[in-house]
Amino acid sequence: MSTERHRTRRRGRSHQGEEGGQALAGQQPWKQPRNRFPPVNVLSEAQLLHIHEASMAILEQVGLEVLNDDARRRMLAAGAEAIPDSLRLRFDRHLIMECLQTVPESFTLHARNPAHNLMIGQDYTSFGCVASAPNASSLDGGRRTGRQSDYRDFLRLAQSFNIIHFLGGYPVEPVDLHPSIRHLDCLADCVTLTDKVFHAYSLGRQRNLDALEIARIGRGISAARLEQEPSLFTIINSNSPLKLDEPMLQGIIEMSARNQVVCLTPFTLAGAMAPVTLAGALAQQNAEALCGIAFTQMVRPGAPAIYGGFTSNVDMRSGAPAFGTPEYLLAAQASGQLARHYRIPFRSSNVSASNAVDAQAAYESTLALWGAMGGGCHLLMHGAGWMEGGLCASFEKLVIDADLLQMLSVYLEGMVVDEQTLALDAVREVGPGGHYFGTAHTMARYKDAFYTPLVSDWRNFESWNEAGRPDACQRANRLYKQVLQDYQPPALDDAIAEALADFVARRKAEGGVATDY
Amino acid sequence: MSTERHRTRRRGRSHQGEEGGQALAGQQPWKQPRNRFPPVNVLSEAQLLHIHEASMAILEQVGLEVLNDDARRRMLAAGAEAIPDSLRLRFDRHLIMECLQTVPESFTLHARNPAHNLMIGQDYTSFGCVASAPNASSLDGGRRTGRQSDYRDFLRLAQSFNIIHFLGGYPVEPVDLHPSIRHLDCLADCVTLTDKVFHAYSLGRQRNLDALEIARIGRGISAARLEQEPSLFTIINSNSPLKLDEPMLQGIIEMSARNQVVCLTPFTLAGAMAPVTLAGALAQQNAEALCGIAFTQMVRPGAPAIYGGFTSNVDMRSGAPAFGTPEYLLAAQASGQLARHYRIPFRSSNVSASNAVDAQAAYESTLALWGAMGGGCHLLMHGAGWMEGGLCASFEKLVIDADLLQMLSVYLEGMVVDEQTLALDAVREVGPGGHYFGTAHTMARYKDAFYTPLVSDWRNFESWNEAGRPDACQRANRLYKQVLQDYQPPALDDAIAEALADFVARRKAEGGVATDY
């Protein structure tokens, strides 16, 4: 009995009311923002249909290479056409479009803390932490290869900032953990250091299965219930152009079979892995995305899926990828338009190619967010901390992006227009030439009338100068350290913590996942 | 005869084809971008009408203080209602709405170089240089009080960057020129150092008249033709709340009477000079703007006018103005919606409160531009170089903003979707697993397929690190100096140059404009 009480005692903070980092000035409460403004249609209806037609022609005439026997068998059984002496399949447009009919327009993605569940679809949007960077950087620590200590600090920040709604993968790759067991340690950390939605890399069948089990244990539910309640998602990148490789196909099979979330994101950089024209790159993206999403429905009709748009371009002089450019902005909004056309939830990203947390990092990110929000994005990957075109996760940029995302959240709220806010009485009271500082209307509202920033510094030049002229990056440096210091792990049932530890220990004892190095 | 030839010879570059700074890598040719994407309606129709009603109630019940006898007489004659023992007038909504009927929906604003004429209205947008900052700053020169040398350098940059379409005032206030003659030297510089549209401050009747004469001389036209062709504009800030002061009213009278352009921009900072709620601040902005614009039509029906939206808020803890915030973004788009409702061209701004050319400066500016473009802005004030909430003009920020404005220009172009850009042949040629670098489709297009930035650095970390890790501000510093070095004055007829010099010399000999200091 006392053991039972001990085993069900929650560790850390309670789930209710005490969000991480609440003490942080300017921190907003947890909320999933709703994007009520109409999306920006950068394509005319004719242009949209033209791109659709081209992608159907690609699927019907060129097809995709499908590098997994099981997947090929399933596709052929569903009606795909084999091309002799090749691993390539062609897909009739009717087959693809029929499969898309069963993709849910919206669904709930469950977190182990139900307060952090996400609605994916409708007018809800959600913001993720930076993911998959091989390097981490901070102003004083410099740029270094990813390691577990940085990985865990990013998780703590992702948990602490309420505006970061989910983990889209490992914020930074902890290369000090052996690949055979890295996913076990990393995913266990997701469960213990955060209570938000997380992501499983599709890097081989066994890793998917381990991730599914960790998600199940983390929520303390049965396998049957996990299958009713999507609780894990995976990003599937087609190997552009027009290839679906083995681990990605295994990922779709394992995840979709269990009704978990597959986000299909072609990596179509125009001029390199896709045509040098935006329209061509989008047609190819669309063909690849729809093919992969159709496959999720061949595996399990009704399985949740997301349309990922990541089309950008390379600098044709150097081959370097460009992000947060006008082409990126157009492609993001056009991708959102395509996803809406098929009634599939849309994924976009907050991206920048900058090497420094400087003006370039900020304008590229803000342009990318303009693209995402105008595109009606439901799942924003790399929302906070991504730089160098994905090669580095920055602690300071995470904080600056968190400020930006909070601002978007307030923007998306729109404004209240009613008798009280129109304030005619206050206007009459003040009259020409007065000011509103002391009016009853102001006094009743001034405390939370406007957005309070995390990073932005609105002091006048003289005060700022006396304070040592800290720029946004330096202020963010101080903030991320403060948040880490204030961090407390979220509540976790002892029983779940023990089951998780047991599972990880057992799987490690089994050797984790075989690797050839 | 030889004298005559000498007098009509053009100095500097020819008008045709050789834009200033064309040698700059990434410089785009002169073009006025068109904003073909539908504007963002952040207000529902009901909310829009509610704000309209509130502003009509303000005009009818509270009214405005009108601090100029001539203006008051004209308004009373038009049907305004006097309030005894005060300078306040009330305005019936029918009077205001009837006046607005004659505001042109679009018009041409003439530059002395006809290639730089601006279409104000329709789906055309235009970008102006920073204006009216008391201080200038550069990375190596530091922050200093405005002076003529900086003023002239800003003009040279504004001329050199094709994406800067007009001067919205003095980029920086040259306080080393005595106020009695400052406008003469400054406006003469606008004509000689640039050939773009420029602005006249409404700071007393005589300054408006001098500016009109300089605009006329600069274009080499008659007063009658000037009256047919709007060639000068002025920003009229109402003295919020609800006051129109003497020099501003004189400005409207002199400018509108001659069919020149008046942009009416209330300075409604919510929580200070306007209610602490966005809806209330917008209602007051709307009342002030419509009253001033209606007055332009009382002076001369059909005179060109622009609706300026500048509503933002103050930080209620410190009183510091905030710019480029979510509230600013909402107010900008709502202001554009109001202007569209009345079919009046819309002015917005590129603003930031940052003291450094850092991430904050860039995200605030980009959010402001999102507001402006989503609001359907026709005239963008402070497009390049504004910082510190308007207290400083930065040489580096001008270059960074020019890059941003160029990106917007490319974004607004949208994309071409046709058989060629859809590139099906290239997709067939490359097939699964290949790449597009060497295809005929790529080779035919790679040189100008994508945006080439001015400032953005897309090198990988290693190359960037070896190059000394220059951030965006440092790169902009190098660029502005290069552009200044390459600057050549635009062509100017000797006859015009002499007439201008004669006029300025005569007016200076007359003492310029009387000041009390």
Side-chain angles (χ1 to χ4, degrees):
Chain A
M1 183 81 179
S2 72
T3 309
E4 187 61 26
R5 249 204 317 273
H6 172 72
R7 287 177 61 88
T8 57
R9 187 170 57 83
R10 282 158 179 272
R11 297 189 290 196
R13 296 186 176 202
S14 107
H15 274 159
Q16 280 77 36
E18 298 172 36
E19 304 291 352
Q22 201 66 298
L24 184 65
Q27 162 100 297
Q28 295 182 332
W30 166 279
K31 192 192 62 181
Q32 207 188 337
R34 303 179 71 165
N35 189 350
R36 294 185 185 82
F37 304 137
V40 179
N41 290 329
V42 293
L43 301 172
S44 69
E45 191 63 20
Q47 287 180 317
L48 181 78
L49 293 176
H50 212 164
I51 292 174
H52 166 78
E53 285 297 317
S55 56
M56 293 296 124
I58 292 171
L59 290 167
E60 290 180 338
Q61 298 166 22
V62 185
L64 270 77
E65 240 172 59
V66 179
L67 303 182
N68 173 274
D69 294 341
D70 185 11
R72 240 178 4 262
R73 271 194 301 273
R74 290 170 188 253
M75 289 175 177
L76 287 168
E81 176 198 352
I83 299 181
D85 304 322
S86 85
L87 300 172
R88 209 191 287 194
L89 300 181
R90 293 198 184 105
F91 302 86
D92 184 88
R93 69 182 64 200
H94 301 295
L95 168 61
I96 297 292
M97 295 309 290
E98 201 183 301
C99 285
L100 298 186
Q101 295 307 308
T102 51
V103 178
E105 281 189 57
S106 66
F107 55 87
T108 298
L109 181 45
H110 292 259
R112 74 170 180 82
N113 176 359
H116 291 166
N117 288 352
L118 298 176
M119 171 57 70
I120 306 295
Q122 301 173 25
D123 59 6
Y124 288 91
T125 189
S126 57
F127 305 143
C129 188
V130 53
S132 312
N135 301 289
S137 76
S138 59
L139 204 54
D140 30 18
R143 185 179 187 264
R144 63 261 183 182
T145 301
R147 56 195 183 204
Q148 189 180 34
S149 57
D150 282 330
Y151 170 77
R152 287 179 161 169
D153 278 346
F154 273 109
L155 290 198
R156 293 180 182 110
L157 293 174
Q159 175 68 13
S160 299
F161 283 102
N162 295 325
I163 198 67
I164 299 179
H165 300 112
F166 66 89
L167 294 162
Y170 312 154
V172 68
E173 192 75 26
V175 298
D176 49 352
L177 300 179
H178 194 273
S180 61
I181 53 91
R182 189 183 298 164
H183 68 292
L184 297 169
D185 281 331
C186 284
L187 295 172
D189 281 347
C190 288
V191 173
T192 52
L193 298 179
T194 89
D195 61 6
K196 298 181 177 178
V197 162
F198 61 94
H199 164 275
Y201 288 100
S202 287
L203 293 170
R205 184 170 179 273
Q206 187 56 50
R207 287 195 181 83
N208 287 106
L209 296 178
D210 289 339
L212 285 158
E213 184 60 6
I214 289 173
R216 186 195 67 73
I217 293 170
R219 291 196 57 211
I221 59 174
S222 67
R225 187 159 159 210
L226 185 78
E227 209 167 308
Q228 289 162 2
E229 299 178 345
S231 308
L232 186 66
F233 82 106
T234 189
I235 300 288
I236 299 293
N237 296 121
S238 48
N239 203 335
S240 304
L242 301 173
K243 264 167 94 163
L244 289 164
D245 67 15
E246 174 112 45
M248 292 291 160
L249 290 159
Q250 290 174 334
I252 294 177
I253 292 169
E254 300 307 329
M255 292 284 285
S256 293
R258 289 171 184 80
N259 199 34
Q260 302 304 304
V261 182
V262 167
C263 174
L264 209 308
T265 311
F267 192 45
T268 34
L269 285 182
M273 302 88 102
V276 75
T277 43
L278 273 189
L282 285 168
Q284 186 187 307
Q285 169 192 289
N286 200 48
E288 295 178 9
L290 294 187
C291 183
I293 292 170
F295 181 54
T296 65
Q297 306 303 299
M298 296 175 194
V299 173
R300 177 174 176 141
I306 299 172
Y307 183 116
F310 204 78
T311 293
S312 192
N313 65 279
V314 295
D315 176 1
M316 297 307 291
R317 269 165 298 278
S318 66
F323 291 106
T325 58
E327 288 84 7
Y328 182 90
L329 177 46
L330 281 168
Q333 296 185 339
S335 298
Q337 218 176 326
L338 286 161
R340 279 195 299 287
H341 179 71
Y342 305 114
R343 299 174 181 275
I344 303 172
F346 172 53
R347 167 252 161 119
S348 193
S349 309
N350 174 6
V351 291
S352 163
S354 185
N355 292 296
V357 184
D358 62 354
Q360 180 188 341
Y363 64 66
E364 288 181 339
S365 270
T366 313
L367 288 175
L369 291 171
W370 183 348
M373 295 301 105
C377 168
H378 299 103
L379 186 90
L380 182 81
M381 287 288 292
H382 311 302
W386 209 75
M387 52 187 289
E388 287 184 33
L391 294 179
C392 192
S394 154
F395 285 100
E396 288 86 8
K397 184 155 186 293
L398 181 141
V399 179
I400 288 172
D401 284 337
D403 206 0
L404 251 173
L405 295 174
Q406 286 202 153
M407 286 191 254
L408 290 194
S409 172
V410 170
Y411 166 64
L412 294 175
E413 282 284 295
M415 70 181 84
V416 179
V417 181
D418 58 20
E419 295 305 322
Q420 284 70 48
T421 58
L422 284 168
L424 272 177
D425 286 344
V427 175
R428 285 191 197 96
E429 179 189 338
V430 170
H435 68 78
Y436 288 80
F437 282 117
T439 66
H441 186 264
T442 300
M443 296 307 286
R445 288 168 180 81
Y446 78 96
K447 278 188 190 157
D448 53 3
F450 305 119
Y451 178 65
T452 303
L454 298 170
V455 176
S456 296
D457 188 333
W458 297 338
R459 286 178 292 187
N460 63 29
F461 179 83
E462 289 71 21
S463 308
W464 175 77
N465 193 42
E466 276 169 31
R469 309 166 72 104
D471 69 13
C473 187
Q474 291 166 321
R475 298 192 301 268
N477 178 270
R478 282 206 288 271
L479 274 170
Y480 98 77
K481 290 175 186 165
Q482 180 200 321
V483 172
L484 282 182
Q485 204 158 29
D486 294 348
Y487 169 82
Q488 288 191 30
L492 181 65
D493 278 355
D494 282 351
I496 289 176
E498 282 171 36
L500 182 62
D502 289 351
F503 175 75
V504 169
R506 176 171 69 76
R507 289 287 299 114
K508 281 188 174 180
E510 292 167 5
V513 172
T515 60
D516 52 5
Y517 49 101
Chain B
M1 182 85 176
S2 71
T3 309
E4 186 61 25
R5 250 203 314 274
H6 173 74
R7 289 176 60 89
T8 59
R9 187 170 57 83
R10 280 157 180 272
R11 297 189 290 195
R13 296 187 177 202
S14 105
H15 275 158
Q16 278 79 37
E18 297 171 37
E19 302 293 351
Q22 200 67 296
L24 184 66
Q27 162 101 297
Q28 294 182 333
W30 167 277
K31 193 190 63 179
Q32 207 188 337
R34 302 178 69 165
N35 188 350
R36 294 185 185 81
F37 304 137
V40 179
N41 290 329
V42 293
L43 300 172
S44 69
E45 191 63 20
Q47 287 180 317
L48 181 78
L49 293 177
H50 212 162
I51 292 174
H52 167 78
E53 286 296 316
S55 56
M56 293 297 125
I58 292 170
L59 290 168
E60 291 180 337
Q61 298 165 23
V62 185
L64 270 78
E65 240 173 61
V66 179
L67 303 181
N68 172 275
D69 294 340
D70 185 11
R72 239 178 7 260
R73 269 193 303 273
R74 289 170 188 254
M75 289 174 176
L76 288 168
E81 177 198 351
I83 300 182
D85 302 323
S86 84
L87 300 172
R88 206 190 291 193
L89 300 180
R90 293 199 184 104
F91 302 85
D92 184 88
R93 69 182 63 199
H94 302 293
L95 167 62
I96 296 293
M97 296 310 289
E98 202 185 301
C99 285
L100 298 186
Q101 295 307 309
T102 51
V103 178
E105 281 188 55
S106 67
F107 54 87
T108 298
L109 182 46
H110 293 259
R112 75 171 180 82
N113 176 356
H116 291 165
N117 287 353
L118 298 175
M119 172 56 71
I120 306 296
Q122 300 173 24
D123 60 7
Y124 288 90
T125 188
S126 58
F127 305 144
C129 187
V130 53
S132 313
N135 301 288
S137 76
S138 60
L139 204 54
D140 29 19
R143 183 180 189 266
R144 61 261 183 184
T145 301
R147 55 197 184 201
Q148 189 180 34
S149 57
D150 283 330
Y151 170 76
R152 287 180 161 167
D153 279 345
F154 273 109
L155 290 198
R156 293 180 182 110
L157 293 173
Q159 175 66 13
S160 299
F161 284 101
N162 294 326
I163 197 67
I164 299 180
H165 300 113
F166 65 88
L167 294 161
Y170 313 153
V172 66
E173 192 74 27
V175 297
D176 49 352
L177 300 179
H178 193 274
S180 60
I181 53 91
R182 188 182 298 163
H183 68 292
L184 297 168
D185 281 332
C186 284
L187 295 173
D189 282 347
C190 288
V191 173
T192 52
L193 298 178
T194 90
D195 61 6
K196 298 182 178 178
V197 161
F198 60 94
H199 164 275
Y201 289 101
S202 287
L203 292 170
R205 186 170 178 273
Q206 187 56 49
R207 287 194 181 85
N208 287 106
L209 295 178
D210 288 339
L212 286 158
E213 184 61 7
I214 289 173
R216 186 194 68 74
I217 293 170
R219 291 196 57 213
I221 58 175
S222 67
R225 186 156 161 215
L226 185 78
E227 207 167 310
Q228 288 160 1
E229 298 178 346
S231 308
L232 186 66
F233 81 106
T234 190
I235 301 288
I236 299 294
N237 296 121
S238 49
N239 203 335
S240 303
L242 301 176
K243 263 166 95 164
L244 290 166
D245 65 16
E246 174 111 46
M248 293 291 160
L249 290 160
Q250 289 174 335
I252 295 177
I253 292 169
E254 299 308 328
M255 293 283 285
S256 294
R258 290 170 183 80
N259 199 33
Q260 303 303 305
V261 182
V262 167
C263 174
L264 209 305
T265 311
F267 191 46
T268 34
L269 285 181
M273 301 89 101
V276 76
T277 44
L278 274 189
L282 285 167
Q284 186 187 308
Q285 168 192 290
N286 201 48
E288 294 178 10
L290 295 187
C291 183
I293 293 170
F295 181 54
T296 65
Q297 306 302 301
M298 295 176 194
V299 173
R300 178 176 174 139
I306 299 171
Y307 183 115
F310 203 79
T311 293
S312 192
N313 64 278
V314 294
D315 177 1
M316 296 308 289
R317 270 166 298 279
S318 66
F323 291 106
T325 58
E327 287 84 6
Y328 182 89
L329 177 45
L330 281 168
Q333 296 184 340
S335 297
Q337 216 175 329
L338 286 161
R340 280 195 299 288
H341 179 71
Y342 305 113
R343 301 173 180 275
I344 303 172
F346 172 53
R347 166 251 161 118
S348 192
S349 311
N350 174 6
V351 291
S352 162
S354 186
N355 292 296
V357 184
D358 62 353
Q360 180 188 339
Y363 65 66
E364 288 181 338
S365 270
T366 314
L367 288 176
L369 291 171
W370 183 348
M373 294 301 105
C377 169
H378 298 102
L379 186 91
L380 183 80
M381 287 289 291
H382 312 302
W386 208 76
M387 53 188 287
E388 288 184 32
L391 294 179
C392 192
S394 155
F395 286 99
E396 289 86 8
K397 185 155 188 291
L398 182 141
V399 179
I400 289 172
D401 284 336
D403 206 0
L404 251 173
L405 294 174
Q406 287 201 156
M407 288 191 252
L408 290 194
S409 172
V410 170
Y411 165 65
L412 294 175
E413 282 284 294
M415 69 180 85
V416 179
V417 181
D418 58 21
E419 295 305 324
Q420 284 69 47
T421 58
L422 284 167
L424 271 177
D425 287 344
V427 175
R428 286 192 196 94
E429 178 189 338
V430 171
H435 67 77
Y436 288 79
F437 283 118
T439 65
H441 186 264
T442 300
M443 296 308 285
R445 288 168 179 81
Y446 78 95
K447 277 186 188 157
D448 53 2
F450 306 119
Y451 178 65
T452 302
L454 299 170
V455 176
S456 296
D457 188 333
W458 297 337
R459 287 178 290 187
N460 62 29
F461 179 83
E462 289 71 20
S463 308
W464 175 77
N465 194 41
E466 276 169 31
R469 309 166 74 104
D471 70 14
C473 187
Q474 291 166 320
R475 300 192 300 270
N477 178 270
R478 283 205 288 270
L479 274 169
Y480 97 77
K481 290 175 186 165
Q482 181 200 319
V483 173
L484 281 183
Q485 204 156 30
D486 294 349
Y487 169 82
Q488 289 192 30
L492 181 65
D493 278 356
D494 282 351
I496 289 176
E498 283 171 36
L500 183 62
D502 288 351
F503 175 75
V504 170
R506 175 170 68 77
R507 291 285 300 114
K508 281 188 175 181
E510 292 168 4
V513 172
T515 60
D516 52 4
Y517 48 98

